[in-house]
Amino acid sequence: MTSNPGGTWPHAPGFYVGDRPKIVTSRFEYEDSYTLQRFEATDGYKGLRAALAKPAAEVHEEVRNATVLGRGGAGFPAGNKWGLTPQGVWPRYLVVNGDESEPGTYKDRLLMERDPHQLIEGCLIACYAAGLSQCFLYIRGEMALAQERVATALNEAYAAGYVGKNILGSKFSVDIVLHWGAGAYVVGEETALIESLEGNRGMPRLKPPYFPAAIGLYGQPTIVNNVETLANLPWLARNGAAAYTAVGTATSPGTRMVAVSGHVKRPGVYEIINGTTTFRDLIYGEEFCQGIRNGNELKAFVPGGGSAPWFTEDQLDVAFEGPQAGAAGSMLGSGAVMVMDSTTDIPRAALTLTRFYAHESCGKCTPCREGGTWLERILSRVVDGKGTDADLDQLLEVGQSICPGEFPHASNEKLGITAVPFPYRMNTICFVGPSAYAPVHSALTLFRSEFESRVTKRTLIPVTAVAQ
Amino acid sequence: MARLTEENIRLAREIISRYPKPRSATIPLLHLAQEQDGFVTNEAMEHIGQLVGATSAEVYGTASFYEMFKFEPVGKYLINICGTMSCALMGSEELMHHAESRLGIHMGGTTADGLITLERAECQAACTEAPCLQVNYRYRFRVTAENFDTLVDQLQSGALEGEIPAHGTVAAVRQHIPADKGVGAVAPEDVTEGPAWLDGKAAL
Amino acid sequence: MTTIDNTPEIDNVPPPDPNAVSITINGRTVAARKGELIIAAADRANEYIPRFCYHPRMSSVGMCRQCLVEVEGPRGPMMVVSCMTPVADGQIVRTNTPQVKRAHEGILELLLANHPLDCPVCDKGGECPLQDQAFSHGAGESRFVEEKRHYEKPIAISDLVYLDRERCILCDRCTRFADEVAGDPLISFTQRGNNTQVMTFPDEPFASYFSGNTVQICPVGALTAQPYRFKARPWDLEQRESTCTTCSVGCRTVVQSSRDELLRYQGVDSDPVNWGWLCDRGRFNFQSVNSEDRLESPQVKSGDSFVSTSWADALETVARTLRLATPGSVAILGGARGTNEDAFMWASLADAMGITMRDAQLDDGLPTSIFSYSQATIDSACAGGTVILLAPDLKEELPVLHLRLRDAADKKRIRIIEVSSHESGLTKQAWRSVRAESGTTASAVAALLADSAVAAQLSSGPVTIIAGRANLAESADLTIASVEAVLAAAPTASVLPVLRRGNVRGALSVGLAPQNGKDAAAILEAAANGQVECLILLGADPMADVADADLARRGIAGAKFVVAIDTFLTQSAAHADVVLPAAAYGEKDGTTMNLEGRVTNVVQKITPRGTSRADWMIAAELADLSGHDIGATTLADVQKLMAQRVPGFGATTTSVAIKRDGVVVSMASPTRTPLAVTSAPPRNSYEFRLDLSRKLYDRAVATLTSPALAGLAQGASVCIHPLDLERVGAAEGATVRVSNNHSSIVLPVRASESIPRGTAVVPFNQPGADIRELIRHGESVVDVRIESM
């Protein structure tokens, strides 16, 4: 059922095939899924051939009609994104975002390790359809195996004439350049990714005017697509938009990959059909995670990667769909659910995320650079039992300087609070700063008593108070 | 140890040639330098600056932004234990404590024999396999205290020599674009026309 | 008062603007321009939005987030940063709602979280945007109780600039300046997130000619200038706005002093000139004015040494000499160091006495016929089209002009075509850069312009020729020949003459231009031949500055009586019979003219040293003593006379504009004398063609007498191509013999790929052996042999 791409360790990473229809993981059951031989034997590069048989505009139209939503987190339709490039400006580039590093997220790495040719085929279809003259495949620095698998696949594909000059004898020529990062979460943000690819510090660019579609890599129009998004294209090109939209829902066709981790019986990565699954299905369903470990109670879960506000059992029946999760006060983000059972130390759990975002701040925007670390330090103090009740208010005050106004959160019957829907307002360029605050805010809103029980009560705190 | 070797200069030029602008090769070349010396030396950064057309300060500014580049020698094996939420929920704090006492060093430290450096890392995208760690960016999943000890034993005995290259090498396979197959990179300012396959038609 | 008012005074109203939009700021309707940023529009409307990273002369980075404002959007009010949000017609902006106020307080609290608050010992205290805005926009107290970041403080990142990383708020102004404006990205952000810090590369200092600007634009006390550290508190400083006369760019400055001592110059933003920037040489040579070595009283030669005397005595000695000398045997050299008024009064005196031998240049510039072409300005050169560089390395000679051209090329407004004998600071920005050996430039220009792509470029828009003396060992006529070669292909091209000395164009314009073709070289030759009874050195030091050192020596020695009017006892002044102490920059009022003919004011801020006087006063007194009535006894008189007599000056010297952006004076164009076609002899392939060019830091007296700058001159050396170095058989840094049939000297040799084979570049006026011994005026080029020792 599973193989171990990581080497000889006894535990295999859990990808669970199930018998649902598959769009991007259809080859995962094969031990040799990453080879050109297997790929060609299982419809490989047929989507490319189908695309090349049509004019580029027609292929683009098909992607647009299929409403392939971006799988990187923002959920913007890929066909529309390609259409944002200004007319008549050359060259244009494709940058593939393979810098997967959102806490809880684990899918792009699998797609690169297990089916690199599918990704390459997806890149080629995108370049063909959108008239992109060079493709840069940016893989996270720490993913040695993914880099090796994609490098091998590219070398095979070049040798076989799938990539490079006059692909499959056509006029279509494009290079795919494998590029690899060096360890910086913020580079997953698309403008930071472009900065990094230009050889700079990976700091997000101003928006406006730097929407990459208009002014991207080297100041040229640039499409930045997530690995999973592109991995959808070969199937779509083979089977057509009608077949693609027949899977999933009208607003969100197709499937998406979800990683569920934490305190569940069967943590794993699942390709689910959009519109068929609730969080309850994911966490408790037999074909998914099969419930909470050791028969424990569910305490809370993060529904969409480390940046997302938290849900509790009150939200279990929310559909695993962007709009529904947003209305309920959070987001689906990159497709990652992290489950906390009743044994979880909530302040400490929040700290692991806040520390992550504080550590990964690029340092550009003041609220994130200074505020993120400040949150981390207050929270550490509280977790260590050295905080005061003033610290708890201060956490929210610092949060206000990062994200002004009401911050989204879930409703909670026991606490008698109603949901504040997504999105939040922010004083920063990108989402790293707000993400440092999201876990703090959720934990404090939903589990304030856990914080209060470990801080000293102080009605007044002198401004000259000395750090512990 | 210093500037890039002749062989690596050749490789560096090949890498640079794939990009429309040489500066884009900065990070790949820093990896190359780290592969050569185990860490990134000042001389290498100067050399890379010359190769890609940047000042040493710019190369250092870029390099120091990224976690993976080390500016001082580290152990032959760099063990990164993930401490972010999913791994923390599954006991990575305890694993880190165990690792520290097993190796007799603190996080960030290197064993006296120079074999192992231990670091706390952030999310490694293996959240369902928590707690996880990487040895020179090769994964180990669902790591317990016992199999951490086994790993250390293997590293110490040299049993993993073949599987895990010394610190500096990340991917052991490189991309090579054969001269007759590649399109070649063109500086953006030298591209004035749309791609041939659009036949002069605008893309949508 | 210590804040610098950067709002230029506008003399005339611009025509209606097709890009005009109107927005509402805090309920008030404000006119703005399409594409303009909200913060800029608000500034003009006097609605102050706090900011740290925003700087109007650099690209926006949106880093500090201090300038958040509320903009009415489709889904209600949105918080946006005003330094990266452009205005839109009908936009509604609020800068004072409780939400905005909370945001401003929040950001300030975060910026102060790790700031050491060591204001009492910080140079910036009292003029610190962080301090000021913490008061105006902050909450008044911090709730940050954690331990602050700690770094070693301060560290010297160059000879001139110190960095205190604890005070730094990471606004990216200095690093952006170094990269975007100066083109010297030697400082960069390093590390990441909360550990981000500005740093140089280990052991590679921030050696930029423009480093002082980073100190000025630093919004906190993180960057401090070595010459000003702990010298004064801002509230003790008095200041007046003036013009820098270190070179002829004419950057606007404020001159700041305390207790009658100059303490600092700061750049002022003059839109047509310097945009607020200064070079370090201009910024820090205020030290020279304070130097212990300044001349304080008149000196009269007695035997081999000088004795101090009274002004009356010294002036009478000079007047007597002038009375006795025939007017045709008196010569005046110099005038470019002073004001227009100084030069005008000396020219008037000369006119009154019938003195015709005069030259404000020292055989190191160009013939005045350069002013006979259609004249360009800095703005017109940078506005668009093609700029053809037939000039010395502007980064070394006219640094802020270099910045303006660099900016225009970077922003793709202009294309630069450079023809030079070695690479320059603008070579990287050039669209075409061609190496032509000295002596062959004109033919290289002709060949280049014949290229069809170049011809197409030239005809696509206006063409500006930037013409200057690129090589002091090459005849100036060859530069004119190159200019003519461009004009043959582009007859409508205009010329921006880049003569380097501070007020050289002013001095030439108001009457110190050579007459009857008798220029400085001819005057010195006449002096050497015993034909000069009185040689007046008006702030001129021929022995240091004339390329033909032998000629200068012979000229000074041959003049029967030498009067030196100077601030220091220069090499030449040491040979004078009478030395009169001159008031220096900052010690006198007046006007100056920059390289484009722009007249701006210079001001007195401190009392002249000792009994020194302005040059114009000395001229007035001498006129009086010699029985000539020039008709001016006050500065106002001089300016009035000058306005009447000098074509184009009109009311310039009294206009409001001269107190900021100035007035461009179009000079009466001298007649263009047809050029005798000069062609340089071919070079023997065993020899090197000498290229004698200036570096920013040399043995110029104001540099040598400024302790912060004195050590920055690189020293004499000869620089050749690496393959030539191999041919010579010397190692890098070894000493070689450089010789020709005139003389022979020993210099260290260096290799550089930026120099073509066969050319030997020697920097001018550097400490060490003097290459000028190998140069003879009248030889169109100089070839030398280089031998390993």
Side-chain angles (χ1 to χ4, degrees), chain C residues 243 245 247-250 336 338-340 371 501-510 591-602 646-649 663-667:
Chain C
T243 306
T245 56
C247 75
S248 58
V249 174
T339 61
N340 290 326
F371 301 121
R501 284 171 201 282
N503 192 27
V504 65
R505 186 165 180 160
L508 293 170
S509 300
V510 300
T591 61
T592 186
M593 183 187 273
N594 81 345
L595 53 84
E596 39 174 7
R598 182 180 303 277
V599 177
T600 51
N601 70 332
V602 294
V646 182
F649 260 67
V663 176
V664 177
V665 170
S666 48
M667 180 178 175

Side-chain angles (χ1 to χ4, degrees), chain C residues 589-663:
Chain C
D589 284 325
T591 61
T592 186
M593 183 187 273
N594 81 345
L595 53 84
E596 39 174 7
R598 182 180 303 277
V599 177
T600 51
N601 70 332
V602 294
V603 301
Q604 177 177 0
K605 188 68 213 63
I606 57 169
T607 317
R609 173 65 64 90
T611 63
S612 62
R613 298 177 183 183
D615 297 7
W616 70 265
M617 291 184 190
I618 300 170
E621 303 232 18
L622 281 174
D624 211 28
L625 287 173
S626 355
H628 297 282
D629 180 13
I630 302 180
T633 50
T634 66
L635 189 69
D637 295 342
V638 178
Q639 291 182 336
K640 209 163 128 196
L641 263 189
M642 192 162 64
Q644 286 164 9
R645 291 200 197 147
V646 182
F649 260 67
T652 55
T653 50
T654 51
S655 121
V656 175
I658 66 157
K659 292 180 177 164
R660 177 57 60 88
D661 292 343
V663 176

Side-chain angles (χ1 to χ4, degrees), chain A residues 183-186 201 203 206-209 358-371 373-374 377-378 381 391 394 396-398 400-402 404 423 425-429 461-468, chain C residues 60-66 68 75-79 81 83-86 99 102-103 105-107 109-111 113-114 141-149 169-172 188-197:
Chain A
Y185 160 81
V186 65
R201 299 163 58 77
M203 315 217 294
L206 293 185
K207 295 164 270 189
H359 178 78
E360 297 295 345
S361 166
C362 79
K364 186 165 183 168
C365 303
T366 306
C368 173
R369 179 186 69 238
E370 306 292 341
T373 309
W374 194 359
R377 288 165 78 173
I378 301 174
R381 188 141 37 87
D391 283 330
Q394 187 56 31
L396 299 175
E397 280 291 304
V398 176
Q400 277 296 305
S401 296
I402 304 172
R425 290 163 195 271
M426 54 204 255
N427 287 346
T428 52
I429 293 175
I461 179 164
V463 288
T464 51
V466 177
Q468 71 289 336
Chain C
S60 285
V61 284
M63 238 173 133
C64 73
R65 320 302 288 178
Q66 185 64 53
L68 286 161
R75 285 173 297 171
M78 291 245 304
M79 203 76 97
V81 283
C83 75
M84 55 189 230
T85 311
Q99 288 75 20
R102 169 65 182 83
E105 288 175 5
I107 303 289
E109 181 179 33
L110 293 170
L111 286 171
N114 278 294
E141 64 175 6
S142 173
R143 297 167 292 189
F144 188 82
V145 296
E146 331 295 323
E147 167 126 1
K148 299 193 183 221
R149 281 193 291 262
I169 58 165
L170 302 165
C171 69
D172 196 22
S188 170
F189 280 139
T190 63
Q191 315 304 323
R192 189 177 74 200
N194 212 272
N195 298 318
T196 307
Q197 48 190 291

Side-chain angles (χ1 to χ4, degrees), chain C residues 424-455:
Chain C
S424 77
L426 280 170
T427 298
K428 263 192 209 152
Q429 267 70 35
W431 175 65
R432 293 278 193 281
S433 183
V434 177
R435 297 288 81 80
E437 193 166 285
S438 283
T440 68
T441 314
S443 50
V445 166
L448 177 66
L449 301 192
D451 177 271
S452 61
V454 175

Side-chain angles (χ1 to χ4, degrees), chain B residues 57-189:
Chain B
E58 289 174 302
V59 175
Y60 180 54
T62 293
S64 61
F65 186 85
Y66 298 93
E67 210 82 46
M68 290 172 74
F69 296 126
K70 310 295 176 194
F71 303 99
E72 281 162 14
V74 294
K76 182 178 178 186
Y77 298 109
L78 173 65
I79 300 183
N80 287 312
I81 303 180
C82 175
T84 317
M85 186 180 238
S86 299
C87 287
L89 290 173
M90 300 305 285
S92 67
E93 296 275 345
E94 292 74 6
L95 179 62
M96 287 184 210
H97 291 314
H98 175 77
E100 285 180 330
S101 61
R102 169 70 169 84
L103 295 170
I105 51 177
H106 287 296
M107 285 291 156
T110 302
T111 53
D113 59 0
L115 190 71
I116 295 172
T117 297
L118 193 58
E119 280 186 2
R120 173 198 192 93
E122 299 294 357
C123 186
Q124 297 174 338
C127 311
T128 64
E129 311 310 307
C132 68
L133 62 77
Q134 291 185 324
V135 187
N136 291 351
Y137 308 105
R138 268 80 184 154
Y139 284 100
R140 291 295 181 267
F141 300 121
R142 301 196 186 184
V143 185
T144 60
E146 295 72 46
N147 50 34
F148 181 84
D149 289 344
T150 313
L151 171 68
V152 172
D153 291 342
Q154 286 173 326
L155 293 175
Q156 285 172 341
S157 70
L160 296 176
E161 287 277 337
E163 192 200 330
I164 303 177
H167 179 260
T169 298
V170 187
V173 182
R174 287 187 176 280
Q175 179 183 17
H176 288 290
I177 301 179
D180 58 325
K181 305 274 188 181
V183 182
V186 185
E189 53 270 24

Side-chain angles (χ1 to χ4, degrees), chain C residues 389-393 418-424 427 433-441 444 469-474 689-693 719-721 752-762 781:
Chain C
L389 279 178
L390 301 170
D393 188 342
E418 174 183 62
V419 182
S420 64
S421 69
H422 60 91
E423 286 181 16
S424 77
T427 298
S433 183
V434 177
R435 297 288 81 80
E437 193 166 285
S438 283
T440 68
T441 314
R469 186 76 174 274
N471 178 0
L472 292 165
E474 182 195 48
R689 185 137 294 177
L690 184 63
D691 183 334
L692 183 56
S693 46
C719 209
I720 55 178
H721 190 274
S752 168
E753 304 259 2
S754 68
I755 297 165
R757 298 205 60 182
T759 290
V761 177
V762 177
V781 290

Side-chain angles (χ1 to χ4, degrees), chain C residues 56-266:
Chain C
R57 292 296 184 188
M58 298 193 288
S59 63
S60 285
V61 284
M63 238 173 133
C64 73
R65 320 302 288 178
Q66 185 64 53
C67 67
L68 286 161
V69 296
E70 222 172 67
V71 170
E72 200 59 52
R75 285 173 297 171
M78 291 245 304
M79 203 76 97
V80 301
V81 283
S82 57
C83 75
M84 55 189 230
T85 311
V87 297
D89 203 19
Q91 194 174 49
I92 297 171
V93 180
R94 293 185 204 95
T95 70
N96 54 9
T97 64
Q99 288 75 20
V100 174
K101 200 166 170 302
R102 169 65 182 83
H104 289 168
E105 288 175 5
I107 303 289
L108 263 163
E109 181 179 33
L110 293 170
L111 286 171
L112 289 168
N114 278 294
H115 190 77
L117 298 172
D118 55 351
C119 310
V121 293
C122 177
D123 274 344
K124 204 82 174 188
E127 57 175 6
C128 173
L130 181 59
Q131 197 179 41
D132 294 346
Q133 295 180 110
F135 278 104
S136 61
H137 291 83
E141 64 175 6
S142 173
R143 297 167 292 189
F144 188 82
V145 296
E146 331 295 323
E147 167 126 1
K148 299 193 183 221
R149 281 193 291 262
H150 285 299
Y151 295 114
E152 180 195 343
K153 64 187 279 180
I155 51 173
I157 55 170
S158 75
D159 290 315
L160 296 168
V161 179
Y162 283 71
L163 168 66
D164 181 330
R165 289 165 292 173
E166 292 183 350
R167 293 177 186 159
C168 176
I169 58 165
L170 302 165
C171 69
D172 196 22
R173 275 188 175 194
C174 59
T175 39
R176 217 175 340 151
F177 173 85
D179 181 23
E180 256 181 50
V181 181
D184 298 320
L186 299 168
I187 45 174
S188 170
F189 280 139
T190 63
Q191 315 304 323
R192 189 177 74 200
N194 212 272
N195 298 318
T196 307
Q197 48 190 291
V198 171
M199 271 308 282
T200 61
F201 191 68
D203 303 324
E204 259 186 52
F206 179 38
S208 168
Y209 288 165
F210 306 99
S211 67
N213 293 294
T214 63
V215 176
Q216 183 174 342
I217 62 179
C218 180
V220 295
L223 293 168
T224 46
Q226 183 273 330
Y228 179 72
R229 280 173 65 78
F230 307 121
K231 282 284 192 302
R233 306 304 322 206
W235 49 86
D236 291 330
L237 290 177
E238 297 172 331
Q239 70 176 23
R240 287 185 75 191
E241 192 171 320
S242 188
T243 306
C244 177
T245 56
T246 303
C247 75
S248 58
V249 174
C251 300
R252 288 298 283 178
T253 58
V254 283
V255 177
Q256 300 178 328
S257 68
S258 175
R259 289 185 289 271
D260 212 27
E261 183 186 358
L262 291 190
L263 289 179
R264 187 168 68 170
Y265 299 157
Q266 298 271 65

